[in-house]
Amino acid sequence: DGGITQSPKYLFRKEGQNVTLSCEQNLNHDAMYWYRQDPGQGLRLIYYSQIVNDFQKGDIAEGYSVSREKKESFPLTVTSAQKNPTAFYLCASTVQNRGIRGTEAFFGQGTRLTVV
Amino acid sequence: AQKVTQAQTEISVVEKEDVTLDCVYETRDTTYYLFWYKQPPSGELVFLIRRNSFDEQNEISGRYSWNFQKSTSSFNFTITASQVVDSAVYFCALSEARRGSTLGRLYFGRGTQLTVWP
């Protein structure tokens, strides 16, 4: 079945450490996104990538980094510079053909990151 | 700037009651898309509906219905005869469609936690 796989489901990080969240999709989608969700808040965009080897900052990119070396993969690294990394992280993907607009995003099951 | 407001933080109903979740949006674009997603306790977001700004026809899918009113910038979601399995967080979202926009990027409301009691 096609879909988006995020791993791990739960992640614990010590202060000062970098951690990488995995996101893999087999939907053949061009665009991928990382969102952060905090309690009582909607999802906020961290980074997005519309094509391989290219990515752009979203609204809250500070303290995060990404790469897009393969169409299927869009890992997110939470660096030690991120002041408050404890949150729920969701990866999404969309079709990005020119003729298709407003297509719905497909989401992974999320990674819950806790700083200990 | 795009903005989505879901004023209801939490709603509790008893099974079989009807419930409406409100969504108000702001955008300067004339073409845009609106979405509703459901987030069950497991965490993933489940797509429910997409509506483009040129189509104000209301939609019904089983117990779910959506009322899109461009005049009031609202896109409300009604669940008829609610069930315990409807308990989840529901998000309303908006997507740009103008040239140069980031296709597929969503602007979310803060979500409404719906609890349906047996």
Side-chain angles (χ1 to χ4, degrees):
Chain A
D1 288 338
I4 300 179
T5 301
Q6 288 187 242
S7 61
K9 191 169 183 179
Y10 299 95
L11 186 58
F12 296 89
R13 189 196 92 172
K14 292 182 180 178
E15 287 198 28
Q17 283 184 339
N18 293 355
V19 289
T20 298
L21 283 58
S22 171
C23 177
E24 303 277 334
Q25 55 100 357
N26 60 5
L27 299 166
N28 200 32
H29 284 174
D30 298 296
M32 298 185 73
Y33 310 80
W34 275 104
Y35 290 91
R36 169 178 170 146
Q37 183 180 10
D38 295 282
Q41 297 199 32
L43 281 68
R44 294 180 291 169
L45 183 66
I46 304 172
Y47 267 97
Y48 63 94
S49 167
Q50 295 180 285
I51 196 170
V52 175
N53 292 323
D54 184 57
F55 49 83
Q56 305 295 331
K57 292 181 179 180
D59 300 325
I60 55 167
E62 185 176 351
Y64 299 98
S65 66
V66 293
S67 63
R68 188 84 187 278
E69 297 176 2
K70 298 186 300 181
K71 188 175 184 178
E72 302 79 22
S73 179
F74 192 41
L76 173 74
T77 296
V78 185
T79 75
S80 57
Q82 169 50 235
K83 301 298 183 189
N84 185 20
T86 295
F88 189 55
Y89 292 86
L90 283 157
C91 178
S93 70
T94 60
V95 173
Q96 201 76 344
N97 294 333
R98 289 183 181 178
I100 298 176
R101 291 180 178 270
T103 183
E104 66 269 26
F106 290 80
F107 285 83
Q109 293 203 320
T111 293
R112 191 167 299 279
L113 173 63
T114 304
V115 174
V116 296
Chain B
Q2 325 292 349
K3 185 178 179 182
V4 177
T5 301
Q6 294 180 255
Q8 303 151 310
T9 304
E10 296 181 21
I11 300 177
S12 289
V13 298
V14 177
E15 212 169 17
K16 297 184 183 177
E17 285 185 18
D18 299 346
V19 58
T20 295
L21 310 181
D22 297 333
C23 174
V24 175
Y25 62 91
E26 296 176 29
T27 178
R28 284 180 284 186
D29 293 343
T30 55
T31 304
Y32 50 89
Y33 294 84
L34 296 165
F35 302 81
W36 275 95
Y37 281 86
K38 174 181 180 179
Q39 185 179 42
S42 54
E44 80 277 17
L45 264 69
V46 177
F47 167 76
L48 296 178
I49 189 171
R50 175 184 66 235
R51 173 66 74 227
N52 76 55
S53 54
F54 294 112
D55 182 3
E56 290 192 66
Q57 190 171 10
N58 291 331
E59 183 158 338
I60 298 175
S61 176
R63 296 185 296 108
Y64 296 170
S65 62
W66 291 270
N67 184 340
F68 176 31
Q69 292 197 342
K70 214 168 176 178
S71 60
T72 57
S73 297
S74 65
F75 186 43
N76 296 338
F77 173 32
T78 297
I79 301 175
T80 303
S82 59
Q83 300 176 2
V84 172
V85 294
D86 295 326
S87 297
V89 180
Y90 290 87
F91 289 99
C92 181
L94 179 147
S95 174
E96 302 167 312
R98 57 182 162 81
R99 186 181 297 278
S101 65
T102 303
L103 297 181
R105 182 252 161 96
L106 294 167
Y107 296 86
F108 285 88
R110 294 194 170 198
T112 298
Q113 170 70 60
L114 173 65
T115 302
V116 181
W117 298 99

